[in-house]
Amino acid sequence: AVVREEVAPAQFDAAVLRLGQVIALRHQVMAGLDQALQIDVEPALVGEVSAVDAQTGTLTVRSQTVRINRQPDEGPVTFFDGFDGLAAVSVGERVRVHGLLRWEGSGREVRASRIEKLATVPAAERVVGVVSGLDTTAGTLRFALGGLAVDASGPTVSGGPVANDRRVAVWFLPGTSQVLGVRVLSLGESGRPSTPGRIGGVVGRLDTAAQTFELAGVPVRYAGALVTPQGPTFTLS
């Protein structure tokens, strides 16, 4: 299979699969076996650490809160590469963070599955988030990813139009607010709507009346869906 990472807009480098990475996997059944065809390594954040709070188990990268996990029953335990735990992470370090978006309190954060130290300045810094406050007046393209204001009026947008509540990846010139490109993230392949997509994560923003919830930053409507396993013990929460 082709294993790659988009290190800058439309610029892919060969990648190596490592513990704790989040990936997008394209596969098909061949000779009775599920065969991987392409694996895209998809970090949630690439950038400089601006704050570390060992007491709350969080750090901040590009105005995004990253929370480490030490409890196996709450998801993947955070794996550190290049650091001996959160206490060893310092403000100013450049990191690559893998994890899934999770609704926590009144906003989203990245629940980290892997935090790795970068030895050099990356080709581009990256933020994956959910669009809010979209402004397209007078030809502009401005929006927010949590507490991060993004002005993408000039750069190329790929993967579809930017819209509120859609997941996007945004690349920045390192150390600046200059946007290099935006990619709208989806579960399926462009032009192949019949291809099923799957995503995993922790349920957030559950509304049992409307039968909706959010999973890894993706809104889900489950009205009429079969929830398994069945029984009173297995209820969405």
Side-chain angles (χ1 to χ4, degrees):
V2 175
V3 182
R4 63 182 192 171
E5 180 180 341
E6 192 171 14
V7 295
Q11 179 184 329
F12 293 89
D13 284 356
V16 177
L17 290 178
R18 301 187 186 279
L19 185 67
Q21 289 175 336
V22 173
I23 63 171
L25 170 68
R26 185 161 61 89
H27 59 99
Q28 67 181 21
V29 177
M30 299 175 63
L33 298 176
D34 209 6
Q35 176 67 47
L37 301 176
Q38 180 175 296
I39 299 172
D40 287 331
V41 177
E42 296 194 338
L45 295 166
V46 178
E48 187 174 304
V49 176
S50 58
V52 180
D53 190 332
Q55 185 173 358
T56 61
T58 62
L59 56 89
T60 304
V61 178
R62 284 276 180 183
S63 300
Q64 311 301 299
T65 299
V66 178
R67 187 176 301 276
I68 67 168
N69 179 37
R70 301 184 179 95
Q71 303 298 326
D73 59 348
E74 294 185 6
V77 172
T78 305
F79 181 82
F80 288 88
D81 184 358
F83 300 106
D84 186 18
L86 182 63
V89 181
S90 302
V91 171
E93 301 267 18
R94 292 184 174 89
V95 295
R96 180 184 288 111
V97 178
H98 284 267
L100 295 179
L101 293 171
R102 178 173 175 175
W103 189 267
E104 190 74 23
S106 60
R108 296 177 184 87
E109 61 184 26
V110 176
R111 182 62 66 97
S113 56
R114 178 183 178 90
I115 299 175
E116 58 186 74
K117 184 175 184 176
L118 299 181
T120 59
V121 178
E125 296 183 351
R126 166 181 165 118
V127 177
V128 171
V130 177
V131 174
S132 64
L134 181 65
D135 179 7
T136 57
T137 57
T140 62
L141 178 57
R142 299 187 180 97
F143 55 88
L145 298 177
L148 178 66
V150 178
D151 187 343
S153 301
T156 300
V157 176
S158 59
V162 176
N164 283 324
D165 298 322
R166 295 207 68 179
R167 291 185 310 146
V168 297
V170 181
W171 287 268
F172 297 88
L173 186 68
T176 75
S177 59
Q178 180 181 339
V179 176
L180 300 177
V182 179
R183 181 179 297 281
V184 178
L185 303 177
S186 63
L187 297 182
E189 291 184 74
S190 177
R192 298 181 62 184
S194 62
T195 303
R198 294 170 56 170
I199 194 167
V202 178
V203 170
R205 305 184 78 181
L206 176 66
D207 185 335
T208 55
Q211 294 188 286
T212 60
F213 60 88
E214 184 174 286
L215 192 69
V218 177
V220 178
R221 180 172 57 86
Y222 68 96
L226 175 64
V227 180
T228 60
Q230 293 180 301
T233 304
F234 304 104
T235 58
L236 287 174
S237 61

